[in-house]
């Protein structure tokens, strides 16, 4: 999905974000008294929301990937630490390695918690994106109906 904004898209996006205008437009849409322009502006607003959600999802993907990479590094370092600990005979070195091992285990737990949180955020954004897309389709259908000329009966 690519959301390369055009000049008119940027203009509609700015207009769509005016809160008072947005509320009034949504009220007209709910009351089924909206104009074609209302529907177009609301569709543009939804496209802005989708674009922002997609961008936020990409940022979360990047953070998640970085966290997974850090966790893999910690796990590798933990294994090396365990191997050194098993081979170590010096009490002072054993204490130092035990502390390092505990720190690495805590870091791994923190990364796991962070990843769980990021995945939850990502899932919520995916749901929002799906909802925005569905709303945009419904608005498009309503716009099409509103654009059709009314047939008068003789």
């Amino acid at each position: 999905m690519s959301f390369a904004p055009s000049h008119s898209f940027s203009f509609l996006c700015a207009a769509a974000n005016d809160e008072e205008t947005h509320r009034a437009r949504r009220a007209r849409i709910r009351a089924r008294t909206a104009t074609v322009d209302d529907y177009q502006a609301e569709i543009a607003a939804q496209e802005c929301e989708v674009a922002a959600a997609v961008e936020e999802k990409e940022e979360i993907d990047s953070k998640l990937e970085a966290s997974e990479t850090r966790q893999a590094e910690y796990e590798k370092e933990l294994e090396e630490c365990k191997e050194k600990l098993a081979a170590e005979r010096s009490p002072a070195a054993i204490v130092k390695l035990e502390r390092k091992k505990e720190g690495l285990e805590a870091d791994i737990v923190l990364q796991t918690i962070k990843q769980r949180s990021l995945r939850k955020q990502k899932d919520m954004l995916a749901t929002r994106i799906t909802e925005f897309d569905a709303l945009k389709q419904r608005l498009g259908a309503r716009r099409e109906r509103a654009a059709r000329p009314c047939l008068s009966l003789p």
Side-chain angles (χ1 to χ4, degrees):
M1 248 190 294
S2 175
F3 292 96
S6 65
H7 175 68
S8 61
F9 179 77
S10 298
F11 173 76
L12 288 173
C13 209
N17 290 329
D18 174 12
E19 199 61 38
E20 187 176 325
T21 304
H22 186 250
R23 278 194 211 111
R25 183 177 60 243
R26 293 293 296 158
R28 288 189 302 274
I29 289 171
R30 277 191 301 278
R32 306 241 187 225
T33 60
T35 65
V36 172
D37 289 341
D38 287 332
Y39 287 113
Q40 285 178 218
E42 189 60 26
I43 289 169
Q46 294 305 313
E47 288 174 347
C48 291
E49 291 290 332
V50 168
V54 167
E55 186 175 314
E56 189 175 345
K57 186 174 171 284
E58 289 170 354
E59 289 172 11
I60 289 172
D61 284 340
S62 178
K63 289 177 184 178
L64 186 57
E65 185 177 326
S67 177
E68 289 169 345
T69 300
R70 274 193 299 280
Q71 182 173 346
E73 291 168 357
Y74 293 150
E75 288 171 349
K76 180 179 177 187
E77 196 173 337
L78 179 61
E79 287 306 311
E80 292 170 0
C81 181
K82 286 178 179 179
E83 290 171 6
K84 288 179 184 176
L85 190 57
E88 191 58 56
R89 299 291 174 237
S90 163
I94 290 173
V95 169
K96 185 177 176 183
L97 286 169
E98 283 288 343
R99 287 187 187 141
K100 182 176 182 177
K101 178 181 163 250
E102 289 170 3
L104 289 167
E105 289 170 340
D107 288 340
I108 290 168
V109 169
L110 289 175
Q111 291 303 316
T112 302
I113 291 168
K114 182 177 183 178
Q115 289 166 23
R116 191 176 307 132
S117 173
L118 289 169
R119 285 187 184 101
K120 186 174 182 177
Q121 290 175 28
K122 183 178 169 180
D123 290 346
M124 289 174 21
L125 280 169
T127 300
R128 276 183 46 207
I129 290 168
T130 301
E131 290 169 355
F132 286 142
D133 284 338
L135 178 58
K136 192 171 81 170
Q137 288 177 358
R138 287 192 308 272
L139 289 169
R142 285 186 185 176
R143 178 189 61 200
E144 294 303 317
R145 285 192 300 269
R148 284 188 225 134
C150 293
L151 298 175
S152 59
L153 296 173

